[in-house]
Amino acid sequence: MSFGKVAVLMGGKSAEREISLMSGRGVLQALRARGVDAHAFDPAERDLCELKRDGFARCLIVLHGRGGEDGTVQGALEVMGIPYTGSGVLGSAVALDKWRTKMIWLAGGLPTPRYRILGARDDWDAVARDLGLPLIVKPANEGSTLGLTRVTAIAQLPAAYELAANKYRDIALAESFIAGAEYTVGILGDTALPLIRIEAPQGNYDYQNKYFSDDTKYLCPCGLPANEEKALQALSLEAFRLLGCAGWGRVDLMRDAAGKPWLLEANTAPGMTGHSLVPMAARAAGLSYEDLCVKILEGAHVA
């Protein structure tokens, strides 16, 4: 299949710029290895209008976070009529917003941890009583666990709120902590890839352990019986589609001690680095990194 001139959108201005550049370099090399006329394009350094001027036929988006997964780039590409990978404007915008993601999942009857939106004048004792301890505080519109704090004592709540709401200039969301095993489910088209179980040091799957630590363990096969894995794959596909997401992505979830799943979030342009999980799951399904990148590019569209 001839793709024409392809832009790999990477970098950007979000807090995840460093990881996006790492992802983009990997994707660029993979596409070129498959004979694709692929070029790096960083929206932080070039105007998006140059995509049309320079004759790009389609875009593979590996921009992470705001400006890449929030529907803004997708909308610009829609206006220019340039096909792009992943979810459209609506699915991208909703999935990045963890607050509205939760509202949609709950309205659809899907399981997600209890939560509340925090304010600077909140009664922290009441928050702890409501959600229990430990609990998680995080920005509502950031990815890669940026600004996330696991709170084990009421006295930690003000600082956790300050980090999520002020440093990241975001709405701060608190949710009940689910004690159990953490899994991630890669989505490729209409298929849920094999589950990966994540075992991070001290159970802390933070930014450092996600991208730079060799101590985090990723188990694929995940160790679940086949019927239980299929049930989690089906739940993840349903959760992804309910948000309006399409193309490719990833759904993260926990499974508590009783075996009940709890949906955490959906990612519409997940990492494609050496530590990233969608390429790992694709390999388990018999798809190389290069072939995965080509498959993602084949799904480019204008909604």
Side-chain angles (χ1 to χ4, degrees):
M1 180 178 181
S2 176
F3 297 110
K5 189 177 180 182
V6 174
V8 178
L9 301 189
M10 65 174 84
K13 298 179 180 179
S14 83
E16 298 180 67
R17 174 178 173 81
E18 178 185 7
I19 304 304
S20 176
L21 289 171
M22 291 168 60
S23 293
R25 286 191 286 267
V27 170
L28 186 66
Q29 183 178 357
L31 292 179
R32 287 176 173 173
R34 287 291 186 266
V36 178
D37 181 21
H39 304 261
F41 192 102
D42 186 346
E45 298 176 353
R46 301 175 64 183
D47 194 301
L48 283 173
C49 294
E50 294 180 28
L51 289 166
K52 191 76 171 177
R53 185 199 68 188
D54 293 348
F56 284 101
R58 62 180 63 196
C59 296
L60 196 157
I61 300 173
V62 282
L63 294 165
H64 306 323
R66 301 185 198 190
E69 290 183 87
D70 60 1
T72 54
V73 164
Q74 290 77 8
L77 295 173
E78 294 274 348
V79 170
M80 290 187 284
I82 300 175
Y84 59 90
T85 57
S87 297
V89 175
L90 178 63
S92 299
V94 171
L96 188 65
D97 188 327
K98 297 178 180 68
W99 177 18
R100 288 165 179 83
T101 287
K102 280 181 169 290
M103 288 193 285
I104 290 171
W105 282 342
L106 290 169
L110 301 187
T112 188
R114 292 175 57 246
Y115 76 98
R116 62 184 286 173
I117 300 302
L118 300 180
R121 298 183 180 179
D122 275 357
D123 180 337
W124 302 122
D125 291 296
V127 172
R129 284 195 304 271
D130 183 19
L131 298 178
L133 291 174
L135 58 80
I136 299 296
V137 175
K138 58 189 176 183
N141 294 280
E142 290 287 358
S144 292
T145 65
L146 287 165
L148 181 147
T149 304
R150 180 181 174 183
V151 173
T152 58
I154 295 172
Q156 297 171 336
L157 274 166
Y161 169 80
E162 179 74 17
L163 175 65
N166 294 332
K167 180 177 179 180
Y168 287 94
R169 301 176 185 175
D170 204 348
I171 295 170
L173 181 149
E175 67 180 2
S176 298
F177 176 76
I178 304 298
E182 183 168 359
Y183 298 89
T184 192
V185 185
I187 308 290
L188 185 59
D190 294 324
T191 302
L193 298 172
L195 266 69
I196 297 173
R197 177 171 173 163
I198 302 164
E199 294 183 353
Q202 291 81 50
N204 184 26
Y205 194 46
D206 60 8
Y207 185 81
Q208 180 67 29
N209 285 331
K210 178 178 284 191
Y211 291 110
F212 302 107
S213 174
D214 292 324
D215 295 327
T216 301
K217 296 179 181 178
Y218 303 100
L219 306 179
C220 190
C222 66
L224 291 174
N227 63 319
E228 295 181 18
E229 181 170 9
K230 287 180 180 178
L232 293 180
Q233 288 174 314
L235 173 63
S236 299
L237 274 172
E238 182 182 4
F240 198 66
R241 292 167 178 160
L242 193 59
L243 299 179
C245 300
W248 77 292
R250 202 186 76 226
V251 174
D252 299 333
L253 53 87
M254 301 289 296
R255 195 166 180 261
D256 65 22
K260 180 176 179 177
W262 297 90
L263 295 161
L264 300 180
E265 62 180 85
N267 300 270
T268 55
M272 292 288 285
T273 72
H275 281 81
S276 293
L277 303 179
V278 173
M280 190 181 302
R283 284 196 300 273
L287 203 61
S288 71
Y289 184 91
E290 291 79 8
D291 289 339
L292 171 62
C293 292
V294 171
K295 282 280 188 185
I296 291 171
L297 187 58
E298 286 175 349
H301 63 96
V302 172

